[in-house]
Amino acid sequence: MTSLQRPTQASTEAEQPHPDHDRGLEFDLSTILNRRRTLGVLFGAGTAAALAACTPGTGGSSATPSSSASAVSTATSTETATASPSATSTVTRAFAECGVEIPQETVGPYPGDGSNGPNVLEASGVVRKDITSSFGASTTKAEGVPLTVTLTLLDNANGCSPLAGAAVYAWHCDRNGKYSLYDSGLENENYLRGVQETDANGQLTFTTIYPGAYNGRWPHIHFEVFESLSNTSSAGQVLAVSQIALTEAACKEVYASSGYESSAKNFPNTTLTSDNVFGDDGGIYQLATMSGSVAGGYTAALNVTV
């Protein structure tokens, strides 16, 4: 696996673009190709298991590239989401959309997975649900509006059966648009990074804070899908590398709150359709379903077919 050159540190001025921000799939295509492993037959439950996990009549219609415009429109409104690990409606909607695998995206310059400098996946304590604080030598907590993220993973090779026993590594910037392990002053922090294992419904949940906005990118959360929890630190076990896009309505509400002043300045500079990762299809397969408030926190749910 070819290592990427570590990028320069961000400017301390909040209005400046984040240096070397995610530049699309070409930036690290070789990394993804070298590490991606073809998904084999992991489960024998097949379509019957997927149907058993789903309640008919509660999901949306199948998503197709032609519905990109509606997906962009959806970004302007805050949607209702059921974000608990037993969220039947989420599984049902995921089943309806299964057949379109999650788009492969760049891990960006700040993955912390060993492909570009530090490797948090080798650290004891990285497997955790709450990723708001650093672990190990530091216990610094990232401040911000609470956010609960639920992913539902489905096995496209086996009739959309829930992908139980897979692992997801998720990471994102803090409310100022800075990344732990990389940005100046945060080299010894590892907050807003963690690994979780999917349950029998193919679901997992992270508790975190709402990411900030920096110039050049639409607000997002990075994630990698691994074949199993035991393979998260092994090269060649990545099944998917993608990103979650957050909705416009939620972003506007959060960035108008205290502590997100730099994000309020940066957010209007990049639209979902002009973003160099989501812009090719308007984020149709990566736009989270969201609900909540600044006072009570937000939930974000996404169906991930691999």
Side-chain angles (χ1 to χ4, degrees), residues 32 145 201-202 217 240 249 271 294:
I32 294 176
V145 173
N201 287 325
R217 284 305 317 277
T271 65
V294 171

Side-chain angles (χ1 to χ4, degrees), residues 3-238:
S3 297
L4 302 177
Q5 183 177 0
R6 179 169 175 170
T8 58
Q9 299 296 338
S11 169
T12 56
E13 298 181 1
E15 66 272 13
Q16 294 299 315
H18 203 286
D20 229 358
H21 62 72
D22 306 350
R23 293 178 288 178
L25 186 57
E26 291 184 358
F27 180 69
D28 61 346
L29 181 60
S30 60
T31 300
I32 294 176
L33 292 179
N34 287 338
R35 299 181 66 194
R36 180 172 170 82
R37 178 178 181 180
T38 302
L39 178 60
V41 179
L42 300 180
F43 309 97
T47 304
L51 288 173
C54 304
T55 302
T58 58
S61 59
S62 297
T64 62
S66 63
S67 62
S68 177
S70 65
V72 176
S73 176
T74 302
T76 65
S77 63
T78 303
E79 302 172 327
T80 301
T82 303
S84 66
S86 58
T88 315
S89 61
T90 305
V91 176
T92 302
R93 178 169 171 258
F95 177 78
E97 295 176 355
C98 193
V100 179
E101 294 190 0
I102 191 76
Q104 295 288 332
E105 305 290 5
T106 175
V107 296
Y110 310 106
D113 62 357
S115 63
N116 183 28
N119 189 356
V120 74
L121 296 178
E122 294 181 344
S124 175
V126 71
V127 179
R128 58 200 185 129
K129 178 179 178 180
D130 188 339
I131 63 174
T132 54
S133 299
S134 288
F135 61 94
S138 173
T139 58
T140 302
K141 183 176 182 179
E143 299 296 331
V145 173
L147 175 66
T148 299
V149 179
T150 297
L151 299 181
T152 302
L153 273 61
L154 296 180
D155 183 356
N156 195 35
N158 284 280
C160 296
S161 58
L163 193 56
V168 171
Y169 166 47
W171 72 97
H172 62 82
C173 68
D174 63 19
R175 66 181 178 183
N176 295 314
K178 309 300 182 183
Y179 286 87
S180 66
L181 296 177
Y182 292 90
D183 274 302
S184 179
L186 301 180
E187 297 91 340
N188 296 321
E189 303 292 348
N190 52 27
Y191 52 59
L192 308 182
R193 300 176 184 273
V195 174
Q196 278 286 282
E197 184 178 30
T198 57
D199 63 15
N201 287 325
Q203 291 187 318
L204 53 80
T205 299
F206 288 101
T207 300
T208 184
I209 58 133
Y210 206 98
Y214 52 86
N215 282 329
R217 284 305 317 277
W218 181 265
H220 60 283
I221 298 173
H222 294 265
F223 67 94
E224 292 180 296
V225 180
F226 293 85
E227 189 176 51
S228 68
L229 193 60
S230 61
N231 286 330
T232 54
S233 60
S234 301
Q237 303 298 329
V238 177

Side-chain angles (χ1 to χ4, degrees), residues 223-281:
F223 67 94
E224 292 180 296
V225 180
F226 293 85
E227 189 176 51
S228 68
L229 193 60
S230 61
N231 286 330
T232 54
S233 60
S234 301
Q237 303 298 329
V238 177
L239 302 179
V241 179
S242 198
Q243 299 178 27
I244 305 169
L246 305 179
T247 63
E248 181 179 0
C251 289
K252 286 182 175 179
E253 292 169 357
V254 172
Y255 298 158
S257 66
S258 177
Y260 285 88
E261 288 78 11
S262 63
S263 295
K265 294 179 181 179
N266 297 331
F267 179 63
N269 299 331
T270 306
T271 65
L272 186 60
T273 52
S274 69
D275 182 80
N276 56 20
V277 171
F278 304 123
D280 56 346
D281 60 5

